[in-house]
Amino acid sequence: GEDVEQSLFLSVREGDSSVINCTYTDSSSTYLYWYKQEPGAGLQLLTYIFSNMDMKQDQRLTVLLNKKDKHLSLRIADTQTGDSAIYFCAEKASSASKIIFGSGTRLSIRP
Amino acid sequence: DTAVSQTPKYLVTQMGNDKSIKCEQNLGHDTMYWYKQDSKKFLKIMFSYNNKELIINETVPNRFSPKSPDKAHLNLHINSLELGDSAVYFCASSQIPQGGNSPLHFGNGTRLTVT
């Protein structure tokens, strides 16, 4: 069945890079997403990647996709305190009518 | 000019009561959703409507009844509330049904607490 997994917590020093990892099981995934949830707010789309791409860069964000290993990562360069949030990985399979979300990774920033 | 707005933001009620949550989107999207986020932040889809037609109905107790009077509104009515219904409920919308490059836009959530 469809499953998306992420580690629950990540702690990073301010100014360092954060790398949040995600694995998924559905090999027919077409789109993979990263959403950010700040406290008391809804999920906000950060970026997404189509499955025929290996990498996508958008300012401080870099998404890497390893389709063979079904592994997706989000790298945040120069992590700032405003990056503290929960980051959700999500995938949509070509045959599915819905998006499956991971459990979220809580990113905390230490000075 | 909030894109997806839901009311109320907080809802505290007793077991057995009936309550409704309202959602409106001004993005011109055709598809709207209700998601439930539990205390561990796990997010699960409940319902989806496309142009007022129900297209996704996950395994949700029939105490939950969505209603879409038009494609800009999707309300959620819950009968006979139970303790386990306590969660944050998110409304979302997208241009097409969970289309790949048509991502979801979420509201800020309604925190429901059943006592």
Side-chain angles (χ1 to χ4, degrees), chain A residues 30-31 33 35 37 40-45 48 86 88 92 96-104 106, chain B residues 9 35 37 40-43 45 55-56 58 90 97-109:
Chain A
T30 53
Y31 285 88
Y33 310 86
Y35 282 83
Q37 184 180 27
L43 280 71
Q44 175 193 2
L45 179 71
Y48 65 92
I86 300 175
F88 289 89
K92 183 186 179 309
S97 60
K98 59 188 179 186
I99 294 172
I100 305 297
F101 285 84
S103 55
R106 186 180 296 273
Chain B
K9 187 171 174 64
Y35 279 83
Q37 187 176 46
K40 294 183 177 161
K41 303 298 183 185
F42 185 67
L43 197 67
I45 190 167
I55 57 171
I56 293 176
E58 290 293 289
F90 286 100
Q98 307 234 357
N101 60 356
S102 172
L104 300 171
H105 294 254
F106 284 84
N108 284 333

Side-chain angles (χ1 to χ4, degrees), chain B residues 2-115:
Chain B
T2 307
V4 181
S5 59
Q6 39 182 126
T7 54
K9 187 171 174 64
Y10 299 98
L11 185 53
V12 181
T13 188
Q14 290 184 326
M15 281 174 54
N17 285 348
D18 303 338
K19 289 292 177 186
S20 292
I21 308 171
K22 295 187 174 183
C23 179
E24 175 182 5
Q25 54 96 4
N26 63 6
L27 297 166
H29 287 167
D30 286 343
T31 312
M32 295 185 73
Y33 314 81
W34 279 109
Y35 279 83
K36 179 180 180 181
Q37 187 176 46
D38 63 23
S39 57
K40 294 183 177 161
K41 303 298 183 185
F42 185 67
L43 197 67
K44 189 168 170 58
I45 190 167
M46 301 172 69
F47 301 104
S48 175
Y49 273 72
N50 184 51
N51 271 324
K52 302 192 296 175
E53 302 264 342
L54 180 67
I55 57 171
I56 293 176
N57 184 352
E58 290 293 289
T59 309
V60 176
N62 57 16
R63 298 182 295 104
F64 290 78
S65 52
K67 281 192 172 48
S68 182
D70 54 63
K71 70 176 192 177
H73 295 85
L74 180 62
N75 303 323
L76 183 65
H77 188 76
I78 316 169
N79 288 328
S80 302
L81 278 154
E82 300 177 357
L83 293 176
D85 298 331
S86 295
V88 181
Y89 292 84
F90 286 100
C91 178
S93 72
S94 65
Q95 183 57 47
I96 57 176
Q98 307 234 357
N101 60 356
S102 172
L104 300 171
H105 294 254
F106 284 84
N108 284 333
T110 296
R111 182 175 294 276
L112 171 66
T113 304
V114 182
T115 61

Side-chain angles (χ1 to χ4, degrees), chain A residues 11-31:
Chain A
S11 176
V12 172
R13 190 177 304 170
E14 188 176 1
D16 286 353
S17 291
S18 305
V19 179
I20 303 172
N21 294 302
C22 169
T23 57
Y24 58 97
T25 56
D26 194 332
S27 56
S28 69
S29 291
T30 53
Y31 285 88

